Amino acid sequence: SNNNNSTFFIGCSESHNKQQQGQRRYFITTPEKKNTNYRPRVVIVGTGWAGNTLARRLDKKLYDVRLISPANHFLFTPLLPSTAVGTLEFRAIQEPVRTIPGLGEYYQAKARRIENGGVVCEDLFKRKEFSVKYDYLC
């Protein structure tokens, strides 16, 4: 289901206070109001379970979402044995990155290190390094 909620939960912590034990506190981000065109850049490293889910669920009207991964697809690993025995075709358990609606940019590269507010990446084919700036890194 697709809800039009204008906020996104990015974290959760349990309270260690005896009176508030078991209560959770959620951390919520919202875009800055100074410039109406400004959208914080969220850079997601990897197209695994967490990266794929986050890239799909973030509101692209509020965030400029970028994805860095050498794999240009999400692989549904629980069905991988079925492809080995021929029950399923391999393409049936892959979800291409290009199907993520509103994705700002996809870099087919390996993230090498974090420097000066950016992720330094190595292009998978050209073997050249480049940097991707971010406001939030996931």
Side-chain angles (χ1 to χ4, degrees), residues 23-38:
Q23 292 182 1
R24 291 186 175 145
R25 172 176 280 157
Y26 293 96
F27 302 94
I28 304 170
T29 61
T30 56
E32 293 186 18
K33 302 290 183 189
K34 296 175 193 170
N35 181 352
T36 57
N37 295 328
Y38 174 77

Side-chain angles (χ1 to χ4, degrees), residues 101-115:
L103 186 63
E105 192 78 41
Y106 165 68
Y107 304 98
Q108 193 163 11
K110 293 182 179 181
R112 293 297 187 192
R113 62 188 175 279
I114 298 170
E115 280 182 0

Side-chain angles (χ1 to χ4, degrees), residues 74-85:
F74 165 71
L75 185 63
F76 191 76
T77 51
L79 292 178
L80 196 54
S82 297
T83 64
V85 296

Side-chain angles (χ1 to χ4, degrees), residues 26-123:
Y26 293 96
F27 302 94
I28 304 170
T29 61
T30 56
E32 293 186 18
K33 302 290 183 189
K34 296 175 193 170
N35 181 352
T36 57
N37 295 328
Y38 174 77
R39 294 181 304 151
R41 179 175 290 176
V42 177
V43 173
I44 302 169
V45 179
T47 54
W49 289 94
N52 184 56
T53 302
L54 184 60
R56 290 182 183 282
R57 290 188 180 177
L58 275 174
D59 187 345
K60 311 308 184 297
K61 294 175 189 161
L62 298 176
Y63 302 99
D64 174 19
V65 180
R66 309 290 174 106
L67 190 57
I68 301 169
S69 179
N72 64 355
H73 61 276
F74 165 71
L75 185 63
F76 191 76
T77 51
L79 292 178
L80 196 54
S82 297
T83 64
V85 296
T87 308
L88 286 173
E89 290 188 35
F90 191 72
R91 65 182 176 183
I93 66 168
Q94 288 181 316
E95 185 67 30
V97 170
R98 69 177 179 271
T99 64
I100 299 174
L103 186 63
E105 192 78 41
Y106 165 68
Y107 304 98
Q108 193 163 11
K110 293 182 179 181
R112 293 297 187 192
R113 62 188 175 279
I114 298 170
E115 280 182 0
N116 304 322
V119 179
V120 178
C121 304
E122 181 184 346
D123 185 281

